[in-house]
Amino acid sequence: MHAMTHTPSAPTRQRWMFLAVLLTIAALVLSACSAKIETQLGLESAEKGTRTILVSFNMKDNQDKVKGGTQALDASVRKHLPEGLEYEGIQSEGDKARATFKVSFSSVDEYHSKVTSLLKASGSDIKPQISIVNSDQGLVQGIQVKENFSSGDLLGWLPEALVVDGVVSASNKNSVLSSSDETTVKFGEKEVKNSGGSKISAKDVQDRGFRNVILDVKEKDGGYSVMVSFVAKEIMNTETASAVDAYLNQVKPEGSELKKGLESSQAKAYAPSASTASAKEEVGRTLTFSASSIEDLGSGLKKLFGASSTDFSASREVVAKDNNFTVQKKISGLLDCSLLCSPNGDGLTLTIVDSNDKSYMVDPEGRASSSRSGGSSTLIAVDRVSSRQIEMKSMKVATSLGLDGSMEARFLYAFPTEDVAGAEQKLKDVFAGGSNDETEVRQDGDSTIVSVKVRGKDQNEFNQRLNEYLPDSKVTVTRPGGYHPFGSDYTVTPEIKLSSKLGNYYSAPFEFTFKAPTFSSLDQQKVDAANSLAKNSQHVQLTVNGGELSVKTDRGVSSTSGLTVPVSGLSMTDVIVDAVIVGLLLLILILLFLLRKKIAAARAKGRERRAASAAALGAAAGVATGYGATQADAQGGYAAQNGYPAQGGYAAQPGYQAQGGYPAQNTAYAAGDDSPTQVFTPQHGLNYGENEPTKAMPAYDAQAAQTAQPAQPVQPTQPGQQVQPGQTAQQPVQPNQFGADDGDVLQ
């Protein structure tokens, strides 16, 4: 049997030797150009300390590469020194120089804040993780210090600052600082061995910790279900198991349950081999608990892990992108397993399962991956963002038309409160209207409603504002002109395009309502006829209730342009003209009512004038027939009335003397006298149609008339009533020519 070997040829060996020489020369050149970094972390306690960074360089070797010497270096450093970093200047000793930087802190939070600022100034995307533990409790006791950044990372701003100021050329920028440095850690006077190289990882502990701690967090019913698996390095004996149980029962969250053994399949895969039931119980422990919120979860984990650096927080943000609206949930914080995880083990593993049963494993740098190949560490930064598309519960557009022509539209976006809790302001910002619109967010049961009101004093102003809120949207009212005393038919056409706010694919139930103005109404049959396509759709429901129309659909609507609303009623012009007419009629009635007494008085005066005229005509007739004295004269005057003196009768006046051609008064006309003043009385004969010759009427004889006048009936006196002396019995009242009541309706 022959062994086959391969011996490199001489030319090949020469090429390898030449390459090694080149690499050595390059390393020497780079080391000559680069500054050396040393780090000293001095801790007074687990909270307070100082990080000292020493940057050493040889000016003789770099005099051609550094323009201006140490003075130029010092000026450039002071000019660009970031906040949070202290600079004590450059100390020179011969050809060697050393710059000193310090980061002092009185708490881990302050230290973390300053480091974050320096990394940002250096353009680094490292999210700092800092753990400083000095504990005599827990399963791992002693001093542990761990960081995920180096001093070179904190000074990343320096090379470019020197290039900007012309101290170093751009070609030498990457060789300003050395890629390796020396790091030491001291806790008080005790130096703690660092095994992390340029990144600190120092410990001096008594280790009874677990090989693996596997944390499974599952979102469930708005809260979280948590299972923690503690995997032992080996099968625990009675003493170790008792110490483990005592500590875990002390730090477990309230309401949690601790069980022997392991239940998770992933945890069982890391567990030490065990065959018997009793041995399987001692390969680890399982802890389960529930959290109602991210804050509750953070409190439980902080108590469990014990380290002060453990912290959990969450935030929500509404994001609008490509007409889709999502709520992003961000979980951030730090999990420090220093008191539970063995420094020599695999550390902590975090897996998050969302509400859609999608699993994410978080690696030590905080990155979430859907695979299960993430790394493990005793320190894990959590920075997970999950997105959930907003599923609206409903969408409603409520419009109304005023009698004065004003128009209003309310847009009501309803979301589940549990999905958008804490993001109300962002929702308001996303759905808000223009400067003239009113936007508010309110709670209604389990819904969060964003309400936007758009209003205009007339159609033009309303459509201008509506178009600002929803481009290419308008509402048109078409009605006939002129005056219509009993109203007219008109139409309202809403063309509202919601796609600019909601996109074209949302599927929430939609409702559109229209409220007609006062004195207007809607008819179900007319609405159905004007919207036959919608009426015949099984997904659309048209309902009229008096002056209101409701259009509902179980599917999302991106535009209402196909809808027509027929309305019947009065316009503002009709109402004004009708009001004027009715007002005039009422005014007339009011005037008649107010002037009724004056009208009655005027009618009474009219009756008096008519009575006076009749009396005057009667007197004239008496004179014409020869009456020379009144009845009172003939009767010898009136008797005294209740104390008034009796009036004497007037003496009969002698007749007037005969005038030329006329006979004297009180003188009978001669028979056959044809004088125009003769009063004729036809005398009827015995036979029909025969008249006797005209006879003259005798002259009026007052004495004879008085003698011939029949006595007036005396009004009977009432029982017990006496006639006063000098008073004659009263004559019965004679009715006037119009009767006792002339029927005047206004009297």
Side-chain angles (χ1 to χ4, degrees):
M1 183 175 181
H2 299 280
M4 298 182 63
T5 60
H6 175 71
T7 303
S9 62
T12 302
R13 288 197 301 269
Q14 291 177 356
R15 285 197 298 270
W16 280 107
M17 291 177 63
F18 180 71
L19 180 59
V21 171
L22 287 178
L23 291 175
T24 302
I25 294 174
L28 291 174
V29 171
L30 290 174
S31 63
C33 296
S34 300
K36 182 180 179 181
I37 301 176
E38 298 178 48
T39 301
Q40 299 173 358
L41 180 60
L43 299 171
E44 299 179 26
S45 66
E47 291 288 330
K48 186 177 181 180
T50 301
R51 184 189 191 101
T52 303
I53 304 173
L54 304 176
V55 181
S56 303
F57 49 92
N58 192 314
M59 288 302 300
K60 182 178 180 180
D61 296 336
N62 294 283
Q63 59 183 353
D64 296 335
K65 298 178 178 62
V66 179
K67 297 179 181 180
T70 57
Q71 292 182 349
L73 284 172
D74 182 74
S76 181
V77 170
R78 294 183 185 278
K79 178 180 178 181
H80 297 278
L81 187 68
E83 184 179 357
L85 184 63
E86 303 170 25
Y87 174 59
E88 296 184 351
I90 299 176
Q91 294 80 35
S92 299
E93 185 177 341
D95 295 334
K96 296 182 179 181
R98 184 176 66 186
T100 303
F101 300 89
K102 289 185 178 181
V103 180
S104 301
F105 55 92
S106 56
S107 68
V108 175
D109 289 340
E110 182 185 0
Y111 185 29
H112 186 276
S113 177
K114 289 184 176 181
V115 169
T116 301
S117 178
L118 292 174
L119 290 173
K120 184 177 180 180
S122 300
S124 174
D125 59 355
I126 297 175
K127 295 180 180 179
Q129 301 174 16
I130 303 172
S131 175
I132 303 174
V133 177
N134 180 26
S135 176
D136 56 359
Q137 296 182 353
L139 301 180
V140 181
Q141 300 179 5
I143 301 172
Q144 297 183 74
V145 182
K146 190 168 185 178
E147 299 174 348
N148 68 334
F149 55 89
S150 67
S151 293
D153 296 327
L154 301 181
L155 295 177
W157 56 273
L158 182 57
E160 290 189 356
L162 298 177
V163 172
V164 169
D165 291 340
V167 179
V168 175
S169 64
S171 59
N172 291 323
K173 182 186 73 170
N174 294 330
S175 61
V176 171
L177 298 175
S178 173
S179 58
S180 62
D181 56 9
E182 182 179 344
T183 303
T184 59
V185 178
K186 280 189 174 183
F187 199 98
E189 297 297 328
K190 182 178 182 179
E191 183 173 341
V192 183
K193 183 180 179 181
N194 176 45
S195 59
S198 60
K199 297 179 181 179
I200 295 176
S201 180
K203 60 181 180 295
D204 184 3
V205 296
Q206 294 179 355
D207 183 12
R208 301 175 72 176
F210 295 104
R211 174 191 293 173
N212 299 82
V213 175
I214 301 172
L215 177 60
D216 293 309
V217 179
K218 184 176 182 179
E219 296 182 13
K220 183 179 180 181
D221 299 330
Y224 299 89
S225 175
V226 183
M227 175 184 286
V228 187
S229 301
F230 303 95
V231 182
K233 290 180 289 186
E234 57 187 9
I235 297 175
M236 295 182 291
N237 57 32
T238 303
E239 181 182 355
T240 302
S242 297
V244 166
D245 290 340
Y247 181 73
L248 292 180
N249 281 310
Q250 178 183 348
V251 298
K252 70 179 183 180
E254 185 177 353
S256 61
E257 182 180 3
L258 182 64
K259 301 178 182 178
K260 289 187 175 184
L262 299 172
E263 297 181 0
S264 166
S265 58
Q266 182 184 4
K268 291 179 180 179
Y270 291 107
S273 178
S275 301
T276 64
S278 59
K280 289 180 180 180
E281 288 184 348
E282 303 305 332
V283 297
R285 295 290 185 266
T286 300
L287 180 71
T288 58
F289 68 95
S290 298
S292 60
S293 64
I294 190 66
E295 292 78 15
D296 191 19
L297 175 63
S299 298
L301 294 178
K302 189 175 183 67
K303 181 179 181 182
L304 177 63
F305 288 106
S308 60
S309 55
T310 295
D311 188 28
F312 241 44
S313 62
S315 62
R316 289 183 177 87
E317 182 181 10
V318 177
V319 179
K321 184 178 180 181
D322 299 331
N323 293 327
N324 291 317
F325 301 90
T326 59
V327 173
Q328 290 186 348
K329 294 181 180 180
K330 183 178 181 180
I331 301 176
S332 59
L334 188 69
L335 294 178
D336 190 347
C337 191
S338 299
L339 300 181
L340 294 172
C341 296
S342 171
N344 300 318
D346 296 329
L348 176 65
T349 302
L350 171 62
T351 302
I352 299 177
V353 181
D354 63 17
S355 57
N356 296 321
D357 289 332
K358 190 172 183 180
S359 178
Y360 300 88
M361 177 173 280
V362 182
D363 67 16
E365 296 298 325
R367 293 182 292 269
S369 172
S370 58
S371 66
R372 305 187 69 86
S373 59
S376 298
S377 172
T378 58
L379 199 65
I380 289 184
V382 181
D383 190 9
R384 178 181 177 269
V385 177
S386 62
S387 297
R388 178 194 298 272
Q389 185 171 357
I390 299 177
E391 297 292 342
M392 284 196 302
K393 296 183 67 175
S394 64
M395 169 61 195
K396 182 177 181 179
V397 179
T399 60
S400 62
L401 176 63
L403 184 61
D404 58 353
S406 62
M407 304 178 74
E408 179 179 301
R410 282 186 177 271
F411 300 87
L412 305 173
Y413 310 89
F415 304 94
T417 299
E418 63 179 358
D419 287 347
V420 298
E424 290 82 3
Q425 184 60 45
K426 187 63 177 181
L427 282 176
K428 184 176 181 180
D429 295 340
V430 171
F431 291 100
S435 58
N436 294 315
D437 304 329
E438 299 177 14
T439 305
E440 64 176 2
V441 179
R442 67 175 187 270
Q443 302 293 326
D444 185 6
D446 59 352
S447 298
T448 297
I449 298 177
V450 183
S451 174
V452 180
K453 182 173 73 172
V454 180
R455 194 178 190 280
K457 63 182 179 181
D458 53 33
Q459 180 174 308
N460 292 334
E461 184 180 84
F462 172 79
N463 284 332
Q464 178 183 355
R465 294 178 177 179
L466 179 63
N467 187 67
E468 292 175 357
Y469 181 59
L470 297 173
D472 302 325
S473 297
K474 63 180 179 179
V475 177
T476 305
V477 179
T478 305
R479 66 164 75 235
Y483 167 60
H484 305 274
F486 301 104
S488 61
D489 295 336
Y490 60 97
T491 59
V492 178
T493 307
E495 299 180 38
I496 301 175
K497 297 184 178 180
L498 302 168
S499 56
S500 62
K501 289 293 182 184
L502 303 177
N504 296 314
Y505 305 106
Y506 82 98
S507 58
F510 174 82
E511 181 180 8
F512 172 86
T513 63
F514 171 77
K515 184 177 181 181
T518 308
F519 307 121
S520 291
S521 62
L522 294 93
D523 182 80
Q524 183 72 58
Q525 293 182 351
K526 291 182 180 180
V527 170
D528 293 343
N531 302 276
S532 57
L533 292 178
K535 177 63 178 177
N536 295 328
S537 173
Q538 60 180 349
H539 300 287
V540 180
Q541 180 181 359
L542 299 171
T543 305
V544 172
N545 183 14
E548 295 188 17
L549 168 66
S550 173
V551 183
K552 293 182 179 180
T553 175
D554 55 356
R555 298 183 176 182
V557 173
S558 59
S559 176
T560 63
S561 57
L563 185 64
T564 300
V565 184
V567 191
S568 299
L570 298 171
S571 67
M572 193 64 176
T573 301
D574 299 337
V575 172
I576 292 175
V577 175
D578 288 348
V580 170
I581 294 174
V582 172
L584 290 175
L585 293 176
L586 290 175
L587 180 61
I588 292 172
L589 292 176
I590 291 172
L591 289 175
L592 290 175
F593 178 77
L594 295 176
L595 300 176
R596 68 188 187 281
K597 293 183 177 180
K598 292 184 178 181
I599 294 174
R603 295 192 63 180
K605 289 182 179 179
R607 289 195 299 271
E608 291 176 0
R609 285 195 297 271
R610 289 194 297 272
S613 298
L617 290 174
V623 172
T625 55
Y627 284 93
T630 65
Q631 188 176 19
D633 296 333
Q635 293 179 353
Y638 294 100
Q641 299 289 333
N642 295 330
Y644 290 95
Q647 300 294 327
Y650 292 95
Q653 299 295 326
Y656 291 94
Q657 298 294 323
Q659 301 294 326
Y662 293 93
Q665 294 290 333
N666 294 334
T667 303
Y669 288 95
D673 188 356
D674 294 327
S675 172
T677 60
Q678 181 69 47
V679 178
F680 297 97
T681 56
Q683 303 293 324
H684 296 279
L686 299 175
N687 298 319
Y688 180 79
E690 294 182 355
N691 292 327
E692 291 183 356
T694 302
K695 296 180 180 181
M697 293 182 64
Y700 177 75
D701 187 349
Q703 185 69 31
Q706 183 175 4
T707 304
Q709 183 175 357
Q712 297 294 329
V714 178
Q715 182 177 359
T717 59
Q718 299 297 328
Q721 181 180 0
Q722 296 180 356
V723 178
Q724 299 295 328
Q727 178 181 2
T728 61
Q730 295 184 359
Q731 299 292 329
V733 179
Q734 300 295 327
N736 59 33
Q737 58 180 330
F738 299 101
D741 186 359
D742 63 359
D744 187 357
V745 296
L746 296 177
Q747 187 172 357

